[in-house]
Amino acid sequence: MSSLDNITTESIQCLTFGDSYTKKSDPSNFPTLWIGTSVGSVLTIMINLPPPGEARTTQPVTVAPCGTIFRLKGGVLTMSFLDCNGALIPYAYEAWRDEGRDKQKTPTKNSSGLNRMSPALTGSSESVSSNPGGVGGSGVAQLQQQSQVSCDRQFVTIVSEKQVRVVALPSQNCVSKHVIPDADFMVKSEVISMKDSVCLACYISNGHINIYSLPSLKVLVDVDFLALSDLR
């Protein structure tokens, strides 16, 4: 059954914009919107933008759902993109200005400068192993083996209330996965930078604050803070 069939019980929990891949056969990335829902579905929407200039202000932006629907257990909390070295890809944006009101032209931030796309992983074992918070040991060998076949260029980290999944793009292979015990659930999660590396920080209902390395999801910190029941 399609995720859209649950429209009466399913709601949008998370929205993430980014230049990414929608299909396994995509040779390059496209502007996309990733939608996470309350039942754990992740849908990808392709955004077709008119060319810059006059056409950009007169022609509409068209969107269309495409690609594979990822399904996790529990509502989706957050999604983030990493390049092939495990570094966080910053959000690409451009400031909007009303040309009718603002006669004086002011330079805006160039979104292309913020969009970081790393080369394919093939033959780049040194760049992967040099990531301090990334994959080590068997994880490096696994990523290298996958990259030689699929030439992945991105990772997407998807966090739900019950699962964490890191998926390589465009191959859509699950690189690493973590499951929360049935009695607990994820309250809050955020991808953060710590000691020149990228990590996933999570607050779990049992009171633990866990920090995982990305993209390997190895436990770096596990601190007993305060159970969610004690905060209410």
Side-chain angles (χ1 to χ4, degrees):
M1 182 173 62
S2 171
S3 179
L4 297 178
D5 295 335
N6 298 329
I7 191 170
T8 57
T9 59
E10 188 173 11
S11 60
I12 295 176
Q13 296 280 96
C14 178
L15 294 174
T16 301
F17 290 91
D19 291 332
S20 186
Y21 302 86
T22 58
K23 299 178 181 178
K24 296 181 180 180
S25 58
D26 284 345
S28 59
N29 58 338
F30 303 93
T32 58
L33 169 62
W34 290 59
I35 302 175
T37 72
S38 57
V39 298
S41 298
V42 177
L43 301 89
T44 307
I45 306 295
M46 180 180 291
I47 304 174
N48 294 320
L49 299 172
E54 183 179 355
R56 180 66 182 88
T57 59
T58 58
Q59 297 181 10
V61 175
T62 59
V63 297
C66 58
T68 303
I69 298 178
F70 299 95
R71 299 189 186 278
L72 287 77
K73 189 176 180 181
V76 178
L77 299 179
T78 185
M79 294 178 286
S80 296
F81 293 98
L82 309 175
D83 64 17
C84 67
N85 297 323
L88 183 65
I89 298 178
Y91 294 110
Y93 71 94
E94 184 175 352
W96 179 85
R97 295 182 182 276
D98 190 346
E99 296 181 356
R101 294 183 179 181
D102 191 4
K103 296 181 180 180
Q104 183 179 1
K105 293 184 178 180
T106 304
T108 59
K109 293 184 179 180
N110 185 6
S111 60
S112 61
L114 294 176
N115 178 23
R116 180 172 58 205
M117 179 56 59
S118 296
L121 274 172
T122 305
S124 60
S125 59
E126 181 179 355
S127 61
V128 176
S129 59
S130 62
N131 180 18
V135 184
S138 60
V140 174
Q142 180 182 2
L143 283 180
Q144 292 174 358
Q145 183 178 5
Q146 292 178 355
S147 65
Q148 291 175 1
V149 178
S150 60
C151 295
D152 292 318
R153 297 168 64 88
Q154 274 186 355
F155 297 104
V156 57
T157 303
I158 306 174
V159 184
S160 73
E161 294 174 332
K162 301 296 294 184
Q163 289 181 337
V164 182
R165 189 180 300 177
V166 179
V167 179
L169 299 175
S171 69
Q172 299 181 4
N173 293 325
C174 183
V175 175
S176 52
K177 181 179 179 180
H178 179 73
V179 179
I180 304 298
D182 292 337
D184 304 318
F185 61 92
M186 200 89 70
V187 179
K188 177 68 176 178
S189 63
E190 192 74 29
V191 176
I192 61 173
S193 297
M194 185 174 66
K195 289 188 176 181
D196 299 326
S197 183
V198 179
C199 308
L200 175 65
C202 304
Y203 172 48
I204 305 175
S205 60
N206 60 6
H208 282 250
I209 295 179
N210 292 352
I211 298 180
Y212 304 91
S213 64
L214 289 175
S216 60
L217 291 181
K218 292 184 177 181
V219 179
L220 301 178
V221 176
D222 186 354
V223 178
D224 189 4
F225 173 59
L226 189 63
L228 181 63
S229 58
D230 297 334
L231 294 176
R232 295 177 176 176

